Amino acid sequence: MGWFSKVLLPGRLRTGPTALLPARPDQKTLLAVAQLADPEATTDGDDIIAGGSRIQSPIELTGDILAKLGVPDEDRLWACRIAAEGPLPVDFFDKSLAEGIAYRLGGWSLCQGEPLDPAEDGGDPLVYLPAVPEPEEVLPVLGGLLGLVDAVDAERWPEGELVDGVVHVPVRRGRVADVYAGDALILTVEEGHRIPPVARTRWPYLTEIAVARVSPVDRTGETNAEDADAEDVRTEDADAEDVRTEGAHAEDVRAEGAHAEDVVDGEAVGEDDERADLVGRAAVAVTLANGLRGIAADSRGFLLAEPADVLPGRHA
């Protein structure tokens, strides 16, 4: 065994971050996945360097070691441990890297002794932007993408303004800058994020960027915000029950997401409502990124070239 003895192996992997994969990935595939998180990722011998982290070459794990790691019902997996090169990566990039690799290769991630199946939560698609865009820039691109509303609910959005079927809320508290609420989705624009590796090649001169998050109306309380008051503004909309998809432009974009998700690697998944919702939101993120000259990514900071890229197991 190349790394260390079997006695030390479970403890080393348990601390993680580690991606546990169902099949041994060749280096070309692993590099392609890593470059979705860091376009400048490169090989270094048998390893891969991405975003200040080293993705160590995969090693085979059998049932006895997997049992010690707390991974049930698996006889054989391949482990790729992620090790920081120098200081710890900012914003736990090594952890998100392990989760993203496992997500795309149909495996588990392991960190601090807790095995996780990342496919259980695709998270909210993101759009990275160099700065917070003005409402005059965002609203024309949104069109009916978020689902149209007829009036502002003053109790939920006391500062909201209805513009072409979208409620715009200029929060300007804490990290949250603006909220754009529709009938089906909410776009939350946050400022002051450190620039992730996927955006560094596009904007190497920046130290902070803005992030727009595409969330369903009934999950707005789960989005991240440093300021409690700003989070309260968004969680007030969590009681919305009906979902309408009005507006031809919104239907076109969400239909694109549904079509992309009808068949993935030969497997019909169109009946899976959660995946259909995830791909639909990814389609909105891709459309916004194109319209605002931003970068569409998944919740772990991996590039989305097309909406279906947000689904798990795309590179398996």
Side-chain angles (χ1 to χ4, degrees):
M1 182 168 296
W3 286 355
F4 29 72
S5 71
K6 289 186 177 181
V7 176
L8 298 177
L9 178 60
R12 182 75 179 272
L13 295 178
R14 188 178 293 113
T15 59
T18 301
L20 301 175
L21 308 174
R24 181 187 177 95
D26 59 70
Q27 191 179 53
K28 182 178 180 180
T29 298
L30 198 56
L31 177 62
V33 174
Q35 286 175 337
L36 296 175
D38 178 10
E40 296 182 342
T42 185
T43 58
D44 182 22
D46 294 333
D47 300 339
I48 293 172
I49 305 297
S53 296
R54 177 177 294 272
I55 305 170
Q56 297 178 347
S57 60
I59 63 169
E60 184 180 9
L61 305 181
T62 54
D64 56 340
I65 295 180
L66 292 173
K68 294 179 181 179
L69 295 176
V71 180
D73 305 324
E74 296 287 350
D75 296 326
R76 176 179 299 178
L77 292 174
W78 295 86
C80 292
R81 189 172 186 275
I82 315 298
E85 291 281 283
L88 290 177
V90 297
D91 297 333
F92 304 101
F93 177 73
D94 53 348
K95 181 175 182 293
S96 64
L97 186 61
E99 291 182 5
I101 291 172
Y103 187 82
R104 276 158 181 75
L105 294 175
W108 299 67
S109 69
L110 186 64
C111 187
Q112 299 300 321
E114 296 184 11
L116 168 72
D117 181 0
E120 293 181 354
D121 183 11
D124 292 329
L126 309 173
V127 180
Y128 294 128
L129 300 165
V132 174
E134 295 297 328
E136 292 78 10
E137 300 175 79
V138 178
L139 289 167
V141 178
L142 282 177
L145 291 179
L146 305 181
L148 302 178
V149 295
D150 299 325
V152 177
D153 187 330
E155 183 177 351
R156 292 172 179 165
W157 309 107
E159 300 178 6
E161 175 189 8
L162 185 64
V163 183
D164 296 331
V166 176
V167 178
H168 171 229
V169 185
V171 180
R172 309 296 176 181
R173 291 198 298 270
R175 176 172 285 184
V176 178
D178 292 283
V179 172
Y180 299 89
D183 183 62
L185 302 174
I186 287 183
L187 182 72
T188 305
V189 182
E190 302 173 359
E191 60 184 344
H193 287 262
R194 290 179 177 175
I195 185 166
V198 73
R200 188 177 299 128
T201 54
R202 173 83 68 87
W203 306 302
Y205 49 87
L206 296 179
T207 58
E208 292 184 345
I209 60 171
V211 176
R213 189 182 309 272
V214 184
S215 310
V217 291
D218 58 354
R219 270 192 37 218
T220 57
E222 296 181 14
T223 55
N224 295 324
E226 292 184 344
D227 188 273
D229 292 337
E231 185 170 343
D232 289 342
V233 171
R234 288 178 286 147
T235 56
E236 288 174 357
D237 201 56
D239 294 331
E241 297 178 356
D242 299 329
V243 175
R244 294 175 291 129
T245 53
E246 299 176 16
H249 184 52
E251 290 180 359
D252 289 343
V253 172
R254 286 197 279 270
E256 176 190 352
H259 175 70
E261 181 248 342
D262 282 342
V263 176
V264 178
D265 294 334
E267 178 183 0
V269 293
E271 295 180 0
D272 187 331
D273 292 340
E274 291 184 0
R275 290 192 172 193
D277 171 74
L278 182 59
V279 174
R281 287 186 285 128
V284 173
V286 170
T287 300
L288 288 172
N290 291 336
L292 298 174
R293 298 182 180 180
I295 299 172
D298 68 7
S299 62
R300 298 173 177 91
F302 281 63
L303 180 70
L304 298 178
E306 59 183 68
D309 288 344
V310 78
L311 291 174
R314 290 287 283 171
H315 291 78

